[in-house]
Amino acid sequence: MIKILVIEDEESVRENILDLLEAENYDTISAANGKMGLHLAFSEAPDLILCDLMMPEVDGYGVLTALREQILTATIPFIFLTARSARSDFRQGMDLGADDYLTKPFTRAELLNAIVSRLSKQATLKQYINPKNLTHETKAVSPEAQKLEMYLRHTLERRDFRQFQIYYQPIVHINSGKIIAAESLLRWQHPELGMVSPTQVIPIAESTGLIVPIGEWILRSVCKQTKLWHDAGFSFLHIAVNLSVCELIQPEFSQKIIKFLLNNNLVADRIGLELTESMIMQNVDSALQNIQKVNSLGVQIAIDDFGTGYSSLVYLKQLPVNTLKIDRYFIQNVASDPQKAAITTALIQMAHNMNLKVIAEGVETEQELEFLRTYNCDAMQGFLFSRPLPAPEFEKMLIEDKRLVGA
C-alpha cells in the first residue's frame, strides 16, 4: 500500500486530508509540525509527502531542504500545500526541489490528481532506475563509481536535466573544408562533483539503464536545437546522436524519433544515429528492426568506431547504414604506421564500394589529414579542427564560416 506523509500544523486541515486519503485506500502518517515531519520522513520512508508551507520553527522550505540533503529521502515526491499564491513563493519551492504546489483551499479532485500524477511519474522513472536490475558484475564497481551512480540516480529521479549539457564537435568535409555536420556529446555539470567525464558517466548510465531517460532528453534537445539552426540559415547541417543498446531495443524507440521530428517540423535526414558494432551485435534482431524503421523515415545511420568491434561484413551488408566512422585508433599516426595505413585505406575503399560515406575520427595532425585527403576520405572530426563545443560556440563557428585550413 502506498504510504503518504501529511505535514500540516492546522489540525482541521490535517484531519480532512487524512480522511480523504484513507477513503482512497492510501496508508497515511501525519505530523503537526516540520520537526516531527522530518523525523517521520527519515524513519518511515513514505512514498509521497504533502507539506504545509507556513509552519512555526521548521517551515515547509526547511523540511524540503533537509529532505533533499539526505540520500534516503532526496527523491521522495514532495507537494507543497499553502495559502500563499505569489509566483516568488512558487518559484522558491520548485527551485528547492518540490514536485508540485497546491494553493489552499484546494478541491478533493485537485489533491488526488496531484498525488496520482506524481506517483505515476515516479513509477515510470523507477522502471529505468531500479537497483534490482543491476547484474552482479555491475555491482562489483569501485566506491567512486558507486558514488557517481548514486548522484546520477538522484539527478534523474528529480528530473534535474539542467545539470546536463550537449556539446557539439564539428564534422568537416575534407575537400571543401566546410562544416557539414556535428556529433552531439553529453556533458554532466554536477553542482558538487563539477564537470564529470563522459568516460565515467556513460558506462554507468548504460550498465544501469539510466541511459534511457538521458538518451530521450538528448534526442529531444538535439532535434530542437537542430531546428533552430536550420531556421537561422544553416539548413545543410546534420547532427548525429550516439545511441546505446538499451535505447535501441526499446519497443517504442522509433515512435519517439517520429514524435521529436514532428514536434520540431524537422527533416529526418538532418538527424543521424551513431551505433557501435559491438552494440548492434548484442541484440541483432531487435537492433536491425528498429534501425530499419527509423532509416525508412530518412534518419541517417552511422557505424561508430568502425574496425574495433566484432561485426561481420554479412551483418554490415544487412544494416541500412549510410556512414562508417573509422575509429581514432587507426587514424593516430596513420601516415607513419604501415599497418594502420593499410587498414585505413582498405576501410575507406570498402565503404566507398558499398556507397557509404567515411568519416575519420580523432584527427589531430596535418600529416593524418593529408593522408586521409590522399585516400579520398570524405570527412573528418578531431582536435586538429575543433574540440567539442557548447552550442553557442559551435554556432559562432557556423556564423563565421570557419573552414579547414588547406582545403
Side-chain angles (χ1 to χ4, degrees):
M1 185 180 291
I2 293 171
K3 185 189 298 182
I4 297 179
L5 168 61
V6 179
I7 308 173
E8 168 64 63
D9 63 336
E10 290 186 43
E11 184 177 2
S12 60
V13 175
R14 184 173 69 251
E15 292 302 323
N16 284 337
I17 293 174
L18 291 173
D19 288 344
L20 187 155
L21 294 177
E22 288 166 5
E24 297 294 326
N25 293 319
Y26 289 115
D27 185 13
T28 62
I29 49 177
S30 65
N33 56 61
K35 186 175 180 181
M36 185 184 301
L38 283 172
H39 173 73
L40 288 174
F42 294 138
S43 62
E44 297 289 334
D47 297 293
L48 183 141
I49 296 173
L50 301 171
C51 184
D52 186 25
L53 178 59
M54 302 305 295
M55 295 183 291
E57 296 186 36
V58 182
D59 63 7
Y61 294 138
V63 171
L64 179 57
T65 299
L67 292 174
R68 293 305 186 232
E69 289 175 348
Q70 299 298 317
I71 294 174
L72 294 177
T73 57
T75 60
I76 296 175
F78 189 99
I79 300 176
F80 269 127
L81 311 175
T82 179
R84 301 173 66 172
S85 58
R87 182 177 293 274
S88 59
D89 295 320
F90 174 82
R91 175 47 51 198
Q92 183 178 352
M94 302 308 280
D95 286 344
L96 287 172
D99 295 281
D100 209 340
Y101 202 102
L102 288 176
T103 303
K104 300 175 183 177
F106 45 80
T107 65
R108 173 181 177 276
E110 288 172 336
L111 177 61
L112 292 178
N113 285 340
I115 291 171
V116 170
S117 175
R118 291 312 324 148
L119 292 174
S120 176
K121 289 180 180 179
Q122 190 78 351
T124 299
L125 279 171
K126 285 181 177 178
Q127 291 178 9
Y128 303 120
I129 308 171
N130 186 354
K132 293 180 181 178
N133 291 334
L134 302 184
T135 63
H136 174 74
E137 290 76 10
T138 304
K139 290 181 181 178
V141 294
S142 68
E144 274 191 22
Q146 291 176 343
K147 181 180 178 182
L148 278 178
E149 182 189 331
M150 179 191 71
Y151 279 118
L152 189 58
R153 287 183 188 282
H154 293 165
T155 297
L156 293 174
E157 288 178 340
R158 294 173 65 180
R159 300 169 306 286
D160 189 6
F161 288 104
R162 294 171 299 177
Q163 293 183 22
F164 297 119
Q165 301 173 44
I166 299 176
Y167 278 42
Y168 297 86
Q169 185 168 34
I171 296 173
V172 182
H173 191 273
I174 287 180
N175 286 335
S176 70
K178 291 192 65 174
I179 296 173
I180 56 173
E183 178 181 354
S184 59
L185 299 160
L186 179 70
R187 296 292 185 267
W188 182 23
Q189 181 72 44
H190 189 270
E192 295 180 31
L193 302 175
M195 184 67 81
V196 183
S197 168
T199 59
Q200 294 176 291
V201 178
I202 300 301
I204 291 173
E206 290 184 343
S207 66
T208 58
L210 301 178
I211 195 67
V212 174
I214 295 174
E216 183 173 338
W217 175 81
I218 292 173
L219 274 169
R220 182 188 296 110
S221 301
V222 165
C223 286
K224 183 178 180 180
Q225 180 62 71
T226 303
K227 177 60 176 174
L228 290 174
W229 280 328
H230 285 187
D231 290 346
F234 306 107
S235 58
F236 60 86
L237 193 63
H238 170 98
I239 305 294
V241 178
N242 291 282
L243 281 189
S244 74
V245 68
C246 298
E247 298 169 85
L248 187 59
I249 64 175
Q250 292 288 311
E252 71 280 6
F253 176 73
S254 58
Q255 283 72 33
K256 286 182 182 178
I257 297 287
I258 294 171
K259 181 180 73 173
F260 296 148
L261 292 172
L262 290 176
N263 287 349
N264 292 281
N265 193 26
L266 191 61
V267 179
D269 66 3
R270 288 296 174 260
I271 292 294
L273 304 178
E274 294 194 0
L275 323 168
T276 63
E277 297 175 75
S278 56
M279 183 184 114
I280 295 168
M281 294 299 292
Q282 287 181 43
N283 200 320
V284 174
D285 293 335
S286 296
L288 184 59
Q289 187 177 14
N290 275 332
I291 292 170
Q292 288 172 336
K293 282 182 183 178
V294 296
N295 186 250
S296 68
L297 303 172
V299 175
Q300 301 293 288
I301 305 296
I303 302 296
D304 197 13
D305 301 336
F306 191 75
T308 62
Y310 49 85
S311 69
S312 70
L313 295 180
V314 173
Y315 284 119
L316 181 60
K317 187 177 179 181
Q318 290 179 359
L319 293 169
V321 176
N322 308 100
T323 303
L324 291 187
K325 299 188 74 174
I326 301 177
D327 186 71
R328 66 178 183 176
Y329 168 80
F330 298 107
I331 303 303
Q332 188 176 22
N333 301 321
V334 67
S336 57
D337 187 320
Q339 289 186 328
K340 289 184 177 181
I343 293 171
T344 300
T345 53
L347 290 175
I348 293 172
Q349 184 175 358
M350 179 195 70
H352 285 166
N353 288 341
M354 298 175 69
N355 294 317
L356 304 177
K357 295 178 181 177
V358 184
I359 299 173
E361 298 182 284
V363 180
E364 297 183 356
T365 69
E366 293 287 350
Q367 291 79 12
E368 293 164 359
L369 174 61
E370 189 55 40
F371 178 93
L372 295 168
R373 184 179 283 126
T374 299
Y375 289 95
N376 300 316
C377 183
D378 299 295
M380 60 77 72
Q381 68 182 96
F383 284 13
L384 178 64
F385 184 77
S386 174
R387 58 183 173 82
L389 301 169
E393 292 183 36
F394 176 65
E395 183 174 313
K396 183 180 178 183
M397 294 182 74
L398 292 173
I399 294 171
E400 295 175 350
D401 194 21
K402 182 179 177 180
R403 300 197 180 198
L404 194 63
V405 176

